[in-house]
Amino acid sequence: MSVKWHNLKAVLRYCEGMDQPIVKPSWPMLFDLASDPGELYNIMETKLDMGWMVGVVLKFAGDFHKSVAQYPNIKTGAEFEGYDQPS
């Protein structure tokens, strides 16, 4: 799972390959896609002024989890009949 905001990308979980376990770093890995499109340099390790980005990441991740709770995935093979409309 990752969060992209403007030219910054925070990686919360990743795996090295399909047959590898999912890794959850202690802190989100942060990349500046404008200067590092290959995501080679984790600026969270080298720039101490990027800690504010953790708040932005957690807000987006929290909003995503709320959305999934409100609009869950349909079960495999089930027909989608729409979601209940709030009153």
Side-chain angles (χ1 to χ4, degrees), residues 1 11-16 21-29 58 65:
M1 175 184 226
V11 177
L12 303 169
R13 290 184 295 218
Y14 68 95
C15 67
E16 297 292 333
I22 294 175
V23 176
K24 184 176 179 183
S26 299
W27 286 91
M29 297 175 4
L58 294 178
H65 286 290

Side-chain angles (χ1 to χ4, degrees), residues 62-77:
D63 290 348
F64 170 75
H65 286 290
K66 286 179 190 174
S67 173
V68 170
Q70 184 176 2
Y71 304 105
N73 292 334
I74 61 171
K75 297 192 186 321
T76 303

Side-chain angles (χ1 to χ4, degrees), residues 32-54:
D32 181 352
L33 300 177
S35 62
D36 180 22
E39 300 175 23
L40 301 175
Y41 305 102
N42 178 5
I43 60 176
M44 190 65 104
E45 292 178 345
T46 57
K47 292 188 67 163
L48 298 177
D49 63 345
M50 296 308 293
W52 62 270
M53 187 61 189
V54 174

